[in-house]
Amino acid sequence: MSTTEARLDSQDAVLGNVLLQHEVEQFYFHESGLLDEHRYAEWIALFTDDTHYFMPLRRTVPRRQLHREFTKPGEMAFFDETKELLATRVEKLNTGTAWAEDPPSRTRHLITNIRIAEQNGGELVVQSNFMLYRTRLKSDVDVWVGRRDDTLRRTSDGLAIARRFIYLDQTVLQSANLSNFF
């Protein structure tokens, strides 16, 4: 291979990475918009049928026990759900009888520091940071900050969330409920 061919291959690889990064970022921005606009049925469609949606508890532990900072799947968690359970939560919200969301919260999902950590065939391991701002009623305000570790799978419809692990920075939640999606 000539130097020119190698340089062109390198440029093609860089361009491919830039396009993939853009696609992933646009996927997350679209997802955030669906959540903030209460378009939950469309949001659920972004998940694969075998998805795992998990938000562990966070504990304050000494440095030598950092491996115990977050609970593991099967242990106590805020969320440890399948797509079916997520869909059930959405259905309940749509009935208008979910007291924690009547009147509905006003939310803003801010997603940042989106990094593609791995590419395994048709799957991407993506890490991102988030801030979820919620206001309810006249003066209730909640803010959650953390990181998400996702596995995105390429499907015939585009990217889909096959796994989402949500790691809150907070160890104690001050909110009256946890009825939002991350």
Side-chain angles (χ1 to χ4, degrees), residues 40-41 43-44 85-95 181:
Y40 301 122
W43 177 72
I44 286 292
L85 287 172
L86 286 171
T88 300
R89 286 177 55 202
V90 165
E91 287 171 20
K92 184 175 181 181
L93 285 175
N94 289 335
T95 66
F181 298 105

Side-chain angles (χ1 to χ4, degrees), residues 43-58:
W43 177 72
I44 286 292
L46 297 179
F47 288 84
T48 63
D49 290 339
D50 64 340
T51 199
H52 187 196
Y53 185 90
F54 182 71
M55 181 190 285
L57 301 179
R58 183 177 204 152

Side-chain angles (χ1 to χ4, degrees), residues 9-136:
D9 283 348
S10 175
Q11 289 173 346
D12 287 347
V14 168
L15 181 58
N17 288 338
V18 168
L19 292 172
L20 180 61
Q21 179 73 28
H22 177 74
E23 179 185 16
V24 169
E25 289 174 0
Q26 292 305 304
F27 176 82
Y28 283 128
F29 300 155
H30 173 68
E31 178 198 12
S32 295
L34 293 176
L35 288 170
D36 292 338
E37 295 164 11
H38 307 283
R39 295 165 51 192
Y40 301 122
E42 293 172 71
W43 177 72
I44 286 292
L46 297 179
F47 288 84
T48 63
D49 290 339
D50 64 340
T51 199
H52 187 196
Y53 185 90
F54 182 71
M55 181 190 285
L57 301 179
R58 183 177 204 152
R59 301 174 280 224
T60 301
V61 296
R63 184 174 300 280
R64 68 183 175 283
Q65 294 182 350
L66 280 177
H67 63 281
R68 294 187 56 243
E69 184 175 18
F70 293 99
T71 57
K72 308 284 186 254
E75 297 178 348
M76 192 131 198
F78 292 114
F79 300 114
D80 193 355
E81 300 179 333
T82 62
K83 182 176 182 175
E84 184 178 351
L85 287 172
L86 286 171
T88 300
R89 286 177 55 202
V90 165
E91 287 171 20
K92 184 175 181 181
L93 285 175
N94 289 335
T95 66
T97 61
W99 67 267
E101 284 299 318
D102 190 26
S105 295
R106 293 168 299 276
T107 63
R108 192 65 50 214
H109 289 76
L110 305 176
I111 309 301
T112 186
N113 294 31
I114 300 167
R115 300 166 310 283
I116 300 170
E118 285 180 44
Q119 295 184 50
N120 298 319
E123 292 189 343
L124 303 170
V125 176
V126 180
Q127 299 170 333
S128 61
N129 295 337
F130 70 87
M131 182 172 84
L132 171 51
Y133 173 86
R134 173 178 76 172
T135 181
R136 285 196 76 243

